[in-house]
């Protein structure tokens, strides 16, 4: 049989997204499979927006941060924006924490996609593609990467809050909290991601004074339902672990 459309279907196309940020000297980013996964999410965004138009669903504009805020209580402000309920979050099992945050970020107008086909050789864990409406987050899925998915999700969301597109490899999540240039951008997003997951105004440093570095990470991760990656960034930001321990 044949199906006839009232108008020609969307012509798929792909052009590189500007302002992708990686560590200097990083090898393998131009892997064809990675480019294909980026192309897929770009096409899905267009289809989503077309369907939304067809059913008269209003698409809200994504609200960037003004750029004048200091971290301070910014984490709590963003959590309020997302509708994060502390008691509700605390009651969740670990396997339900990531879907909880993912759903909240999607409710904020972000299209969040996951892919197990991002090649390991690319080193890429996630990407953020900024648009005023329906910005995109892409997160690498896979058993050995699942422990990092939550922090990757918030790291990419931090890029969007800054109005930036970015592609991030594993080193972007371990870059020091202080830096300059591109490293400074990644450090800032690490800091904001950690601040959202563990707000400074909800964090009591006195609880951690007598603990060793491992105990500090375990206690913080349990208290806020975060990974050791997020806990380490928070502890380093508050100077509760040394540079070498980080």
């Amino acid at each position: 049989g044949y199906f006839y459309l009232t108008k020609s279907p969307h012509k798929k196309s792909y052009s590189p997204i500007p302002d992708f940020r990686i560590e200097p000297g990083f090898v393998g980013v131009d892997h064809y499979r990675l480019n294909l996964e980026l192309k897929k999410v770009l096409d899905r965004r267009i289809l989503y927006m077309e369907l939304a138009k067809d059913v008269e669903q209003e698409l809200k504009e994504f609200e960037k941060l003004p750029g004048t805020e200091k971290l301070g209580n910014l984490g709590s402000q963003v959590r309020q924006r997302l509708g994060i309920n502390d008691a509700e979050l605390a009651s969740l099992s670990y396997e339900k924490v990531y879907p909880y945050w993912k759903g909240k970020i999607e409710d904020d107008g972000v299209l969040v996609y996951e892919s197990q086909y991002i090649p390991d050789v690319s080193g890429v864990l996630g990407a953020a593609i900024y648009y005023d409406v329906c910005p995109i987050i892409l997160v690498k899925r896979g058993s050995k990467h699942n422990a990092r998915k939550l922090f990757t999700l918030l790291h990419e969301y931090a890029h969007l809050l800054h109005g930036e597109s970015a592609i991030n490899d594993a080193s972007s999540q371990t870059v020091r909290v202080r830096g300059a240039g591109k490293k400074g951008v990644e450090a800032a997003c690490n800091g904001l991601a950690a601040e959202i997951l563990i707000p400074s105004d909800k964090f009591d440093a006195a609880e951690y004074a007598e603990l060793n570095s491992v105990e500090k990470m375990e206690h913080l991760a349990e208290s806020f339902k975060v990974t050791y990656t997020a806990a380490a960034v928070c502890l380093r930001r508050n100077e509760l672990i040394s540079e070498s321990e980080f």
Side-chain angles (χ1 to χ4, degrees):
Y2 296 90
F3 295 92
Y4 295 92
L5 302 176
T6 57
K7 61 181 180 178
S8 299
H10 164 67
K11 183 179 179 181
K12 295 183 179 181
S13 62
Y14 173 72
S15 58
I17 301 300
D19 296 330
F20 276 180
R21 291 178 172 82
I22 58 172
E23 291 300 295
F26 182 64
V27 178
V29 168
D30 291 329
H31 194 282
Y32 76 95
R33 189 72 218 193
L34 172 61
N35 290 331
L36 178 59
E37 295 309 302
L38 293 171
K39 179 181 183 297
K40 283 181 183 178
V41 299
L42 291 170
D43 287 335
R44 287 170 184 166
R45 174 183 179 268
I46 292 173
L47 290 173
Y48 175 82
M49 294 180 71
E50 289 177 348
L51 287 171
K53 182 179 180 181
D54 288 344
V55 299
E56 299 182 347
Q57 175 185 332
E58 184 178 354
L59 298 175
K60 69 177 184 178
E61 187 169 337
F62 185 78
E63 184 181 348
K64 295 185 294 185
L65 296 177
T68 55
E69 301 93 337
K70 296 182 179 179
L71 278 181
N73 65 343
L74 185 56
S76 290
Q77 293 176 26
V78 174
R79 287 166 76 100
Q80 184 176 7
R81 162 178 168 164
L82 292 173
I84 301 297
N85 183 295
D86 291 347
E88 188 176 35
L89 182 60
S91 69
L92 297 176
S93 58
Y94 274 104
E95 61 269 17
K96 293 182 179 179
V97 172
Y98 173 81
Y100 177 83
W101 279 99
K102 178 175 178 283
K104 295 295 187 181
I105 289 174
E106 288 174 329
D107 290 343
D108 197 33
V110 180
L111 301 179
V112 181
Y113 299 104
E114 297 178 23
S115 174
Q116 68 269 40
Y117 298 115
I118 297 174
D120 290 340
V121 68
S122 74
V124 170
L125 297 178
I129 306 175
Y130 182 79
Y131 294 97
D132 290 334
V133 177
C134 296
I136 298 170
I137 289 175
L138 174 62
V139 177
K140 182 176 178 64
R141 183 197 301 157
S143 57
K144 67 179 181 179
H145 303 287
N146 286 341
R148 279 184 164 179
K149 277 173 59 177
L150 179 58
F151 195 77
T152 299
L153 175 68
L154 269 294
H155 180 97
E156 306 307 336
Y157 182 62
H159 275 293
L160 297 182
L161 289 173
H162 288 305
E164 301 168 342
S165 294
I167 188 167
N168 298 293
D169 66 338
S171 63
S172 68
Q173 292 189 10
T174 55
V175 68
R176 300 302 185 254
V177 176
R178 295 182 179 85
K182 292 182 179 179
K183 285 191 176 183
V185 170
E186 298 305 331
C189 288
N190 280 347
L192 180 53
E195 176 65 22
I196 296 169
L197 288 167
I198 309 168
S200 296
D201 56 356
K202 299 178 185 293
F203 176 74
D204 184 2
E207 292 183 27
Y208 302 85
E210 303 301 322
L211 304 178
N212 63 41
S213 58
V214 174
E215 291 171 338
K216 289 173 183 176
M217 282 192 291
E218 289 176 343
H219 182 53
L220 192 58
E222 173 63 28
S223 298
F224 288 90
K225 295 294 179 70
V226 298
T227 63
Y228 285 174
T229 301
V233 172
C234 177
L235 290 168
R236 180 63 194 133
R237 189 178 73 237
N238 287 277
E239 300 185 347
L240 290 171
I241 57 175
S242 66
E243 184 78 4
S244 60
E245 290 172 322
F246 181 71

